Amino acid sequence: MSDASRGAAGGRHTLHDRIEGRLRGHLLTALAVVTSVTLVVAFYYPVGTVLIEAVVVDGAATLSVFAAVLRDPFYFGELARLFAGESPLAVARALLGPDRRLGIVGFTAYQAALSTVASVALGLPAAYLLARFEFPGRRTLRSLTIVPFVLPSIMVAVGFVATFGTNGTLNAALSTLGLPRVDLMFTLRAVVIAHAFYNAPLVARVTTAAWESVDARAVETARSLGAGPVRAFFDVVAPQVYPAVLTGAALTFVFTFGTFPIVLALGGFELATIEVFVYHLVRDLSYAEAAALAIVELVISLGVLLAYLRYEARNTVSARGARPLPRRSLLPSAPTARELLPRLGLGAYAVAVGVLFLAPIASMVLASVTGGDGALTLEHYRFLVDRQQTGAAFQVRPWPAIRNSLAFASASTLLALPMGVVVAVLTTRRYRGRTLVDAAAMAPLAVSGIVVGLGLLRGLVFGVEVAGWRIAASGAIAIVVAHAVAGYPFVVRTVAPGLEGLDRSLIESARALGASRARVIRDVELPLVWPGVVAGAAFAFAISIGEFTATVVLATGGDAYTMPVAIERFIGRRLGPATAMGVVLLVVTGLSFVVIERLGGETSGL
Amino acid sequence: MADDTDATIDSDPSDRQALSRPDPSTRRRFLALGGAAGALALAGCSAQQTGDDGGDGSDGEDGSDGSDGDGGSDGEDGSDGDDEETPTLTVATYTSFIDAPSVSPGEWLKEEFESRVDAELEWATPDNELNYYVERAASGVSVDADLYVGLTTGDLVRVDDQLDDALFAERGEVDGFDAVREGLLFDPFDRAIPFDTGYVSLVYDGTTTEAPETFDGLLADDHSGALIAQNPGGSSTGRSFLLHTIHRFGDGGVAGDGDEETVAGDDGDPDYDYLDYWADLQANDVRVLGSWDDAYTAWSNGEAPMVVSYSTDQVFAADAGEDLEQHRIRFLNDQAYANPEGMAVFADADEPELAREFMSFVLEPEVQGEIAQRNVAFPATDTATLPDDYAELAKEPADPVTFTYDELQGSVGEWIDAWERQYAGN
């Protein structure tokens, strides 16, 4: 932008300064406008082209498709009778009866609720460990927590079957110990565990960030006023951590509500969720019903997110500092119950983590070095090298996939951060219609991935016709923007709770001293919520690395593919090549997370 | 066909005219800049004038495509149509046809065709496969490919249902068409020419079980929990197996408006249809997983001794040095569901004659043999050159069965819908 002003002859300094001054003054507004435009172009318009098919059939507006879906007991179970006009009392009785039908929608919500409980239960101890204890490798461990988040479902399926299957590692270990074998595969339990594998890290990471932002002085004040450690925890620490736990829970619910390949891989069609049907309907080009189902999905997911946001807005605790609580050593300082019990609990938790998280990942790694005859081999990695060297130009090769993944993820993180911060600032103010802004900003989390893919194809790849010109977009830049749109809500959700809790007087003082709004955000607010910013960046990066649907749609030509695309392409009758590429993804992503967190620093430096 | 990957990858170079990719320096600058979202959204855009004669939309503005720094892209030829000397033939297909971890025919076909004909062959493998072209046509965007390779009967039914205008042209003059086996011709409107076929059958581990010889045998107690199949709504092997059960037991009038069976089963019992059979199969603990990958992974790990897969399984097993006893094929009732794959020229192809030349080339005996071996399938012609021992590992059923275009039309959607509602009713 300064290039343009430099061209103006005469008085360029004043012009330059004036433009710069203007920009500074309106930086926030400008960023908000850019964010909105990005969302409309890369999300709302594309998704709209698909969702509108639910209510416009053959060019005529109709609600019949929608009504048919709502009244269909297959989808809505007993509730369908309510939509069909039966009395709420009769429906309530049926719902309480022994033969109640949940319908696909009801079942989807049920398994999502179970998955959310499991993810929170498995995620909280990790947050406790990472936020409150000091031990060698803690920072690296914290960085690596989100790794499961990026794994393609086929990799998780491979790891889970090898770990929890009839002939899996777990059963082998149980037999050796003389314990009864477990039959986990193709049950709801397997699906819930897999969902926890993906989402407990999310709960852990978000909660850790909030816990690390708790001001030690507040706890010290409470203690000095005579509160015991338990009382201080529940009165001071817990209120600041709850919103983060609920953030994690709400996001987990929304993700597992829209779950797709993993349910069918580990559960089976008996456990089919809404998204399974959206996929089938889109594949068969039955767009009206697919769009109607996707809207149902969207409304429920968004409802959960908004309910959570209402809670968040009401329950933030004002904070004004960021001196984190001192961490304790993992070794007990004295052999007292108070010192030993939490550590014993963490020991038991470590065993659970070993079985549920490390064993499946270890199984993936093992599968990548196991040949068809069961012996150890490096042939699958040789396949990667070989494909890199001799693959045809139109085939997917490993190195461009790695390079693209890193470039897209870095770029989309850099884009998602300002977008997320701006929206976080806007949505933590109080004004009429804020709920609407919240809903609009969070919608990318709640829309069916399959619908987004189809929308991007129509809206961006094919483009729109304006005055005889077809405007279209695809390739690397479109992928980066699409990834940023998918990732920025995480930045909002990790940054907003902290901003909401900031003592307003800090901002008002800075403004009174003449700082612009943007400057206050940069110099006062962001440093105070820095752990949230770093966590948000890590999530934006992870979302981009793991993203598949939008990438394949926008990656026209042969060379804008990413690591998950390469994994998918290398799936064949033998799993070796795909798992080897999966291990490459694991290593590259793990290293990236460590780098991101190092760049982010441990604290705000205040 | 070798790999039933249900969601394949978009690597479609054909629509590059409308789309641009940034050059590496743009990307670096962007990386340095970070947050300039607006500039970004604009930089990814391209504009193309519409409303000309439709066919070739090659605008010269966009020279940066394909030059993404790896130097290996074959996409420097964005001039199709302009330069008559070496025309470009854009062949759309599914990804595993050109890029599979084991073998795929794409590379050989491209080299061989280009060595014989003065033309460049360019592959296009969009993620949504044929649906991508349906979407293009429905959105009024030029199709940008000359022919599609890998059409099934169900695909044609779906396309014809969805689009008012023809997506494909008539077959026209294609040498070698007479050699195609009569039973494989699946397009009543004579657009698609079959180029190979495959059979969906059971694959089982002979060291732990002996698969039953009939569908009814699968209901026996000792085969409880022994079979893994796939979701017919999302996987082509799963769909074929479901169709096979309908062929066997009849559809019970599901797709008709009355109670009359539109398909009478081979079993001769009008009171027992495929939904009854599936209820029994479900009671006997069949597993219906999502994709072929899911099912084959679970089966390979010993979750069940039998899986719905392809009758060419031993070709892969032998190639990987695995015990063939663990990869035995069973044709239930001596039957298997046949899935002929066809090719057809797009109605608005830029190079229709070159496309027909390609189809003639594909039907040549030597090429038919190569495609069959590299796609791990069976040739569509009687004249294909195949190694004598090919049939030892790639098995064909005594009695292949399949539904015709007319039988599938207006029915297949209802059949799957009824199955879903019964199987997943919560």
Side-chain angles (χ1 to χ4, degrees), chain B residues 278-346:
Chain B
W278 272 97
D280 291 340
L281 209 52
Q282 195 170 8
N284 209 28
D285 238 5
V286 67
R287 305 282 176 217
V288 178
L289 304 187
S291 63
W292 178 88
D293 307 324
D294 297 339
Y296 207 86
T297 302
W299 177 77
S300 304
N301 278 279
E303 290 305 316
M306 297 188 273
V307 65
V308 172
S309 187
Y310 297 103
S311 72
T312 47
D313 193 70
Q314 291 196 341
V315 178
F316 292 102
D319 189 46
E322 290 161 348
D323 179 4
L324 293 187
E325 187 59 23
Q326 295 177 353
H327 292 267
R328 295 186 56 183
I329 305 299
R330 172 68 75 209
F331 294 121
L332 293 171
N333 299 77
D334 291 327
Q335 295 176 334
Y337 196 83
N339 260 330
E341 291 191 293
M343 50 190 172
V345 180
F346 282 113

Side-chain angles (χ1 to χ4, degrees), chain A residues 3-248:
Chain A
D3 284 347
S5 61
R6 216 163 279 155
R12 67 184 199 191
H13 270 294
T14 39
L15 181 60
H16 188 149
D17 292 349
R18 211 184 312 151
I19 290 176
E20 206 175 286
R22 280 267 171 81
L23 275 177
R24 282 248 173 88
H26 300 281
L27 185 61
L28 197 64
T29 320
L31 276 176
V33 169
V34 168
T35 301
S36 316
V37 170
T38 308
L39 283 177
V40 168
V41 170
F43 180 75
Y44 282 104
Y45 171 70
V47 165
T49 63
V50 182
L51 293 186
I52 196 159
E53 299 219 16
V55 286
V56 178
V57 178
D58 293 329
T62 171
L63 282 175
S64 62
V65 181
F66 212 74
V69 165
L70 288 180
R71 288 186 192 136
D72 190 340
F74 176 65
Y75 290 127
F76 279 92
E78 309 295 346
L79 284 180
R81 294 162 50 188
L82 198 65
F83 297 125
E86 285 189 41
S87 97
L89 271 177
V91 174
R93 247 198 311 276
L95 270 175
L96 294 172
D99 301 325
R100 66 164 173 270
R101 286 186 65 186
L102 288 173
I104 296 297
V105 176
F107 172 75
T108 306
Y110 171 66
Q111 61 81 29
L114 290 182
S115 304
T116 305
V117 171
S119 304
V120 170
L122 280 166
L124 284 188
Y128 174 57
L129 174 71
L130 291 170
R132 298 296 297 115
F133 289 88
E134 187 57 82
F135 51 91
R138 175 184 60 81
R139 291 177 61 189
T140 310
L141 188 63
R142 187 184 62 180
S143 314
L144 294 179
T145 33
I146 344 180
V147 163
F149 205 64
V150 303
L151 290 175
S153 65
I154 182 70
M155 295 291 297
V156 175
V158 169
F160 266 59
V161 174
T163 307
F164 302 113
T166 317
N167 306 313
T169 327
L170 179 63
N171 274 326
L174 289 174
S175 308
T176 321
L177 296 172
L179 295 166
R181 300 164 66 85
V182 291
D183 207 4
L184 276 176
M185 284 305 293
F186 314 125
T187 63
L188 183 56
R189 277 172 301 165
V191 173
V192 168
I193 293 173
H195 284 162
F197 177 88
Y198 272 115
N199 294 297
L202 177 111
V203 175
R205 192 65 192 80
V206 174
T207 309
T208 306
W211 212 324
E212 286 173 343
S213 302
V214 171
D215 186 10
R217 279 169 299 191
V219 180
E220 283 155 13
T221 310
R223 292 298 302 274
S224 71
L225 291 173
V230 176
R231 174 94 193 268
F233 175 82
F234 280 105
D235 285 0
V236 180
V237 179
Q240 292 190 53
V241 175
Y242 281 151
V245 177
L246 276 173
T247 304

Side-chain angles (χ1 to χ4, degrees), chain B residues 131-194:
Chain B
N131 283 359
Y132 174 85
Y133 294 100
V134 176
E135 277 292 316
R136 285 193 85 95
S139 304
V141 191
S142 66
V143 161
D144 278 354
D146 296 303
L147 79 162
Y148 194 89
V149 169
L151 293 167
T152 64
T153 321
D155 285 339
L156 282 181
V157 170
R158 191 172 74 241
V159 170
D160 293 345
D161 269 358
Q162 187 72 15
L163 296 175
D164 298 330
D165 299 325
L167 185 63
F168 294 112
E170 296 248 324
R171 163 173 59 90
E173 276 303 308
V174 174
D175 295 340
F177 178 72
D178 296 338
V180 174
R181 286 144 71 188
E182 182 95 23
L184 293 179
L185 297 175
F186 62 84
D187 182 3
F189 303 105
D190 201 19
R191 296 158 296 180
I193 307 175

Side-chain angles (χ1 to χ4, degrees), chain A residues 196-532:
Chain A
F197 177 88
Y198 272 115
N199 294 297
L202 177 111
V203 175
R205 192 65 192 80
V206 174
T207 309
T208 306
W211 212 324
E212 286 173 343
S213 302
V214 171
D215 186 10
R217 279 169 299 191
V219 180
E220 283 155 13
T221 310
R223 292 298 302 274
S224 71
L225 291 173
V230 176
R231 174 94 193 268
F233 175 82
F234 280 105
D235 285 0
V236 180
V237 179
Q240 292 190 53
V241 175
Y242 281 151
V245 177
L246 276 173
T247 304
L251 292 177
T252 302
F253 184 90
V254 167
F255 283 147
T256 52
F257 191 73
T259 185
F260 168 45
I262 203 77
V263 204
L264 292 188
L266 299 175
F269 200 81
E270 286 94 340
L271 308 178
T273 52
I274 309 177
E275 193 78 345
V276 170
F277 293 91
V278 174
Y279 175 69
H280 170 200
L281 291 164
V282 165
R283 215 175 115 106
D284 281 357
L285 307 174
S286 309
Y287 291 137
E289 196 179 344
L293 272 184
I295 290 174
V296 167
E297 218 179 353
L298 172 66
V299 166
I300 294 173
S301 288
L302 217 46
V304 169
L305 284 174
L306 289 182
Y308 153 72
L309 287 172
R310 276 187 94 87
Y311 167 88
E312 184 186 281
R314 280 198 206 137
N315 289 274
T316 39
V317 183
S318 197
R320 54 180 306 159
R323 180 160 67 80
L325 294 161
R327 295 173 200 273
R328 284 174 277 172
S329 160
L330 209 49
L331 290 173
S333 56
T336 61
R338 249 199 70 207
E339 283 288 310
L340 284 176
L341 272 179
R343 291 170 174 83
L344 282 176
L346 287 175
Y349 175 68
V351 174
V353 166
V355 173
L356 295 178
F357 292 86
L358 301 184
I361 291 177
S363 299
M364 288 172 216
V365 177
L366 189 64
S368 76
V369 291
T370 307
D373 52 0
L376 290 183
T377 173
L378 284 176
E379 66 171 302
H380 307 312
Y381 291 91
R382 272 199 294 274
F383 165 85
L384 297 185
V385 174
D386 189 51
R387 183 52 66 102
Q388 177 62 35
Q389 286 167 348
T390 64
F394 52 79
Q395 295 184 322
V396 162
R397 281 162 296 158
W399 170 241
I402 297 170
R403 193 193 57 203
N404 286 342
S405 277
L406 288 175
F408 296 166
S410 308
S412 59
T413 304
L414 289 177
L415 182 56
L417 277 176
M419 285 173 71
V421 168
V422 165
V423 172
V425 170
L426 292 181
T427 54
T428 45
R429 291 178 179 173
R430 281 162 211 286
Y431 50 88
R432 262 172 187 283
R434 180 182 137 169
T435 314
L436 214 63
V437 176
D438 268 334
M442 291 295 113
L445 291 175
V447 173
S448 151
I450 289 152
V451 166
V452 173
L454 181 60
L456 289 174
L457 181 66
R458 291 178 176 181
L460 289 190
V461 178
F462 298 162
V464 280
E465 209 172 306
V466 183
W469 288 79
R470 186 164 281 281
I471 314 287
S474 75
I477 300 254
I479 292 174
V480 166
V481 173
H483 285 183
V485 167
Y488 97 95
F490 286 88
V491 181
V492 180
R493 291 277 57 86
T494 50
V495 172
L499 287 185
E500 187 120 46
L502 280 186
D503 191 334
R504 303 305 296 176
S505 64
L506 288 173
I507 299 157
E508 281 148 23
S509 324
R511 291 286 275 164
L513 291 169
S516 72
R517 186 70 188 90
R519 176 119 193 245
V520 176
I521 291 171
R522 196 191 70 194
D523 291 350
V524 179
E525 292 175 82
L526 285 187
L528 289 173
V529 296
W530 194 247

